Amino acid sequence: MNLIRVPALSDVAEYAYAATVEPPARLVHTAGACPLDAEGRTVAPGDPVGQARQVMANLETALAAAGARLTDVVKTTVYVASSRQEDLVAVWEVVRDAFGDHEPPSTLLGVAVLGYADQLVEVEAVAAVRGEG
């Protein structure tokens, strides 16, 4: 995988603008990771940051089940059920920090509603894994 920085575009973005995956690689597409605990309850109602932490933990678990890690992710989409930009930024900071130095391309969206009761955050990802798995 190659994360592509684009000097002709702003360097304000805290992610690469593009990513390439050279064969052979196995792609892993996740469902949207939700802020649910092991019993299926929505954690941290009303708290987008608390939900983002649970979402990223659940995303790591789902990726691991497919033989992937956060460092294998080549693209994310982050959904926040809010019209407040500060909520989107707060969630993005949790997502960004979970990836550390790995900064895959990402899209951050404010949406009207998500699927579970009290759900404010959801993150889906595409990863590329080399080798068997």
Side-chain angles (χ1 to χ4, degrees):
M1 161 192 1
N2 184 28
L3 298 180
I4 300 169
R5 311 283 185 228
V6 182
L9 298 174
S10 170
D11 64 356
V12 171
E14 298 173 310
Y15 49 82
Y17 277 99
T20 60
V21 178
E22 300 299 326
R26 179 173 52 87
L27 293 181
V28 177
H29 296 260
T30 71
C34 298
L36 304 178
D37 65 15
E39 287 75 42
R41 294 179 300 239
T42 302
V43 302
D47 177 9
V49 168
Q51 288 196 7
R53 289 187 186 111
Q54 182 70 40
V55 162
M56 292 310 293
N58 290 350
L59 180 61
E60 283 191 82
T61 300
L63 287 167
R69 300 176 313 237
L70 286 177
T71 54
D72 297 317
V73 171
V74 297
K75 172 75 170 83
T76 65
T77 305
V78 180
Y79 303 92
V80 184
S82 176
S83 62
R84 296 171 17 109
Q85 188 176 25
E86 52 269 21
D87 290 340
L88 276 69
V89 170
V91 167
W92 172 250
E93 289 172 351
V94 172
V95 172
R96 178 203 61 207
D97 291 351
F99 280 102
D101 291 339
H102 182 67
E103 298 176 330
S106 187
T107 300
L108 175 63
L109 301 165
V111 298
V113 66
L114 291 166
Y116 291 101
D118 299 318
Q119 180 183 2
L120 299 173
V121 179
E122 188 163 329
V123 177
E124 62 185 22
V126 178
V129 181
R130 299 256 180 238
E132 296 299 314

